[in-house]
Amino acid sequence: MTDLFCEPFPEKSWVLPVDFPLKETFKILSQYFPHSYGNMLKKNISNTSTVSLPSYLYLHLAHDYDDQDKHFLCDQDQTLLSRVPWLIMKSDLYFVPSLFLMPSFEQELSKLFPHKDIVFHHLGRYLFHPSNHVWGLITRYYQAYLAKADERIGIQIRNFDTGPGPFQYVMDQVLACTLKYKVLPQVDWKRTIVTQSEKANLKAILITSLSSRYFENVRNMYWEHPTVNGDVVEVFQPSQEQFQHTENRLHNSKAWAEMYLLSLTDVSVTSAWSTFGYVAQGLGGLKPWILYKSDNQTTPNPPCRQAMSMEPCFHAPPLYDCKTKKGIDNGALVPHVRHCEDMSWGLKLVDNHDEL
């Protein structure tokens, strides 16, 4: 945490004290932990009036959670959970959209977020302040390569196929999206020289990807061919790590810096299912063009669509009604919770006044 973030609260800390009594317990928390809420329900401990509640419960809200774990997102379960002094939560999901489907939270959430599509934007800008080291990476790169541009365009490429790539179908998809929707300026494939206007716009393209080949392809396209409208284009990529190095501190610092740099662009293109892209769009208040996830290594048609809101997608929401225990379409219950553009079963928050 200290490598990546500054403390958000003056003279306070969001890091638990060294002598916090449950810190050693964190190392063994899992879905099968005895004091997990899901296990408590599996043991049919439902009549809590005759059972003494523990001093703490573990909430397993990661992507592999089961039907019992998901009961945290059921409104009727909050009465019991509110009586437990400590709740320890582990999650790799943005489950906020489901909180907006719970009547007991509705009034408070409406006060905090009158516009439903700015939850992550406000929380992220309020809580996630880069550490001095990461802020140095951000500011030096921005001043050197992006600050002087008339327009900054961010392209984030995350591929979930095996192997580091690059993949030609991904490159084709990026160009199909960005040129079709005029995110990038068209190039003149026939002429080698186009008269430059004195007021030619300078466009800086920031590409983030584990592979360097996508950057090289875009850079070479604008090096070898002039733009139709005379725009001057510069293309940059901060790092080319090839593979994701989980838990490597410098690697994580670079990733956080690049998320933040993407958030500083004027227009962005992001990859489907990617937390990296979600963080960047949320921090920047951007509605990116989302590259659809490919099937069978082919370029989707259409290649992308613009996001309904800047909010991240909740990838694994419950698909049932807590009261009736039957399947339900949670994306059709209220106007401000809809299915994600890049994941048909996912949920995301949108503004009440948005219309498709």
Side-chain angles (χ1 to χ4, degrees), residues 141-178:
Y141 200 91
Y142 185 88
Q143 292 299 328
Y145 303 109
L146 304 177
K148 296 179 182 178
D150 297 300
E151 183 180 24
R152 287 160 285 275
I153 301 163
I155 302 176
Q156 179 256 338
I157 301 174
R158 175 72 162 101
N159 190 274
F160 294 97
D161 287 333
T162 56
F167 300 97
Q168 186 59 45
Y169 74 91
V170 175
M171 191 70 251
D172 293 342
Q173 181 181 6
V174 171
L175 292 179
C177 173
T178 54

Side-chain angles (χ1 to χ4, degrees), residues 22-73:
L22 298 177
K23 284 191 76 169
E24 289 301 312
T25 305
F26 293 172
K27 299 175 183 178
I28 59 173
L29 293 177
S30 71
Q31 192 172 19
Y32 308 104
F33 185 67
H35 282 287
S36 78
Y37 186 54
N39 271 328
M40 181 177 169
L41 295 178
K42 290 184 181 76
K43 295 175 183 176
N44 294 319
I45 303 176
S46 56
N47 185 5
T48 58
S49 60
T50 59
V51 176
S52 60
L53 291 173
S55 59
Y56 71 93
L57 277 175
Y58 168 60
L59 306 173
H60 186 77
L61 301 178
H63 63 278
D64 61 347
Y65 64 163
D66 60 24
D67 288 344
Q68 285 74 33
D69 297 318
K70 293 176 184 178
H71 270 263
F72 168 75
L73 299 172

Side-chain angles (χ1 to χ4, degrees), residues 113-126:
F113 308 106
H115 296 285
K116 307 297 190 296
D117 62 342
I118 57 172
V119 176
F120 183 87
H121 179 70
H122 277 315
L123 292 179
R125 295 290 292 267
Y126 185 71

Side-chain angles (χ1 to χ4, degrees), residues 63-135:
H63 63 278
D64 61 347
Y65 64 163
D66 60 24
D67 288 344
Q68 285 74 33
D69 297 318
K70 293 176 184 178
H71 270 263
F72 168 75
L73 299 172
C74 291
D75 202 58
Q76 60 266 34
D77 289 63
Q78 291 301 317
T79 301
L80 181 152
L81 291 169
S82 67
R83 295 166 50 200
V84 180
W86 286 97
L87 297 176
I88 305 168
M89 181 185 300
K90 183 189 290 184
S91 181
D92 55 3
L93 297 170
Y94 183 71
F95 54 82
V96 171
S98 281
L99 301 183
F100 277 81
L101 298 177
M102 299 166 67
S104 61
F105 290 171
E106 184 177 9
Q107 185 176 4
E108 188 67 25
L109 287 172
S110 295
K111 291 178 182 178
L112 288 167
F113 308 106
H115 296 285
K116 307 297 190 296
D117 62 342
I118 57 172
V119 176
F120 183 87
H121 179 70
H122 277 315
L123 292 179
R125 295 290 292 267
Y126 185 71
L127 295 173
F128 300 144
H129 300 281
S131 65
N132 288 342
H133 169 64
V134 176
W135 189 240

